[in-house]
Amino acid sequence: MPIKDSINPEEGLSSVLEKKLEKYLASHGKGAIPPGLYDRILNEVERVVLAVTLKYADGNQTQASKILGISRNTLRKKMQKLNVEHFDN
């Protein structure tokens, strides 16, 4: 499946996130965004990071934890907390 947006490695992920967040906020208008944005963003981003890394590692939790720089036990706890499914290929 082709990737929609190409990412310039020199630009970095924070730049991509900044652009997407600006679009998200603008789409809601001032005062129309429900409270709790910070926690929502952190949970959603963390969930995506875990899921995509597990997919990249073909479901290998040991490899994914090394890529993420966290222990396998921490990965498993986060997967459970954020309801990230075990990746089965």
Side-chain angles (χ1 to χ4, degrees), residues 48-78:
V48 169
V49 167
L50 297 180
V52 170
T53 303
L54 280 162
K55 184 176 179 180
Y56 177 82
D58 292 326
N60 184 317
Q61 293 179 11
T62 301
Q63 184 181 2
S65 66
K66 286 180 183 176
I67 292 168
L68 293 166
I70 60 176
S71 73
R72 186 173 167 272
N73 286 338
T74 299
L75 173 61
R76 292 175 62 84
K77 286 178 190 174
K78 288 180 178 291

Side-chain angles (χ1 to χ4, degrees), residues 19-59:
K19 290 174 186 172
K20 296 293 184 180
L21 184 55
E22 285 174 354
K23 284 183 182 179
Y24 175 81
L25 293 173
S27 73
H28 282 79
K30 298 224 184 256
I33 300 166
L37 177 65
Y38 183 79
D39 286 335
R40 257 193 343 267
I41 288 172
L42 292 183
N43 285 330
E44 288 183 33
V45 168
E46 188 172 31
R47 187 175 194 289
V48 169
V49 167
L50 297 180
V52 170
T53 303
L54 280 162
K55 184 176 179 180
Y56 177 82
D58 292 326

